[in-house]
Amino acid sequence: MTEFKGAVVTGSSRGIGAVTAQLLAEQGIGVVVNYRAKAPRANKIVAAIEEKGGKAVAVGADLTTPEGPVALVDAAVENFGSLDVVVLNASGGMETSMGENYALRLNRDAQVAMLEAALPKMSEGGRVVFVTSHQAHFINDVSTMDAYDAVAKSKRAGEDALREMIPQLTEKNISFVVVSGDMIEGTITATLLNRMEPGAIDARREAAGKLYSVEEFGAEVAKMVFADVETGHTELVGGAGDFLKQAGK
């Protein structure tokens, strides 16, 4: 496995992205901690990394703007000498204040834009990890709760669009891995869904047998940065028994 020096983790000022960023830093990788609006939160993650002897820099960037992805790529190269890892963790779409089609703009278009910005600067032998949910990964075969349907479809569209870029990545020996998990305890999305559809979390916990915490799932994402798997691999964290059964797979 190539020695990784620099990484971009999108949406990493809190939650799964923050856990992933900190774990990568513990492996000696310099990490660009990305935030959209809340610098103090990102700076806190950077401080926690630096306290443990790691390297990190906080960069404010809205991935839905043309300049956002470029800023993250440039920060990795300038601060750490190379860009070897891109973890596409940022997602959303349940916000009501971000304008029309925000879910698609963020979960599909911005993901592609981020990878298009990164690809020319990424080192050979690097890795791209796309973080998604079982609800989105299986949405073409298994329906989800109404409140999450548009977001799930937009994230699946993002996954499909990124997979179409695998041939370009392969030319530089860069591998692409999808990490999919069930609803995650304690995330904003899970909290919002449970508020809109009371009992949603309990129902998923019962169906899955276990729901991962933010820390547990972040650890799985970080692990897949280094995992010896084929490009295009999908890691179904915690299994996805009921989804696979409903999808007839």
Side-chain angles (χ1 to χ4, degrees):
M1 178 68 74
T2 306
E3 182 184 349
F4 296 145
K5 296 178 182 177
V8 167
V9 181
T10 64
S12 47
S13 66
R14 68 178 179 190
I16 294 160
V19 172
T20 302
Q22 291 175 89
L23 290 172
L24 294 183
E26 287 177 12
Q27 297 294 318
I29 300 174
V31 183
V32 176
V33 175
N34 163 234
Y35 66 94
R36 183 170 62 83
K38 298 184 177 174
R41 203 160 55 189
N43 289 330
K44 190 175 178 182
I45 300 301
V46 169
I49 288 171
E50 291 178 339
E51 281 171 18
K52 289 186 173 182
K55 297 180 292 183
V57 59
V59 178
D62 183 343
L63 300 186
T64 64
T65 65
E67 62 273 13
V70 175
L72 297 178
V73 172
D74 289 346
V77 175
E78 289 168 12
N79 286 278
F80 312 122
S82 67
L83 174 58
D84 311 294
V85 175
V86 175
V87 179
L88 297 166
N89 168 73
S91 68
M94 296 189 71
E95 303 89 341
T96 56
S97 59
M98 300 301 290
E100 195 174 354
N101 293 326
Y102 180 64
L104 263 180
R105 287 192 292 117
L106 177 59
N107 296 329
R108 182 192 63 190
D109 302 344
Q111 308 300 318
V112 171
M114 183 67 232
L115 189 48
E116 286 178 338
L119 187 52
K121 301 284 184 76
M122 281 190 78
S123 307
E124 292 208 9
R127 172 153 292 180
V128 177
V129 176
F130 177 66
V131 182
T132 189
S133 65
H134 295 346
Q135 286 77 12
H137 181 70
F138 290 100
I139 192 62
N140 293 336
D141 300 303
V142 183
S143 61
T144 189
M145 56 201 82
D146 291 343
Y148 193 64
D149 186 66
V151 175
K153 287 175 178 173
S154 69
K155 283 188 70 67
R156 181 67 222 200
E159 180 183 336
D160 291 342
L162 291 168
R163 285 185 182 279
E164 288 177 8
M165 295 179 69
I166 288 176
Q168 294 169 253
L169 295 170
T170 302
E171 286 179 14
K172 289 190 70 172
N173 192 30
I174 297 167
S175 54
F176 175 79
V177 176
V178 172
V179 182
S180 178
D182 212 309
M183 289 176 68
I184 308 297
E185 303 266 18
T187 59
I188 300 294
T189 298
T191 302
L192 285 173
L193 285 172
N194 209 50
R195 193 177 299 158
M196 293 176 180
E197 299 193 24
I201 296 280
D202 289 338
R204 279 310 315 148
R205 192 182 296 113
E206 186 176 342
K210 166 190 167 68
L211 294 182
Y212 278 58
S213 68
V214 169
E215 290 74 20
E216 289 171 328
F217 187 66
E220 295 296 322
V221 174
K223 191 186 300 180
M224 294 312 296
V225 168
F226 306 99
D228 184 13
V229 292
E230 294 290 323
T231 192
H233 171 78
T234 301
E235 183 72 8
L236 299 173
V237 174
D242 59 323
F243 286 93
L244 291 164
K245 186 176 180 181
Q246 291 180 69
K249 295 180 180 179

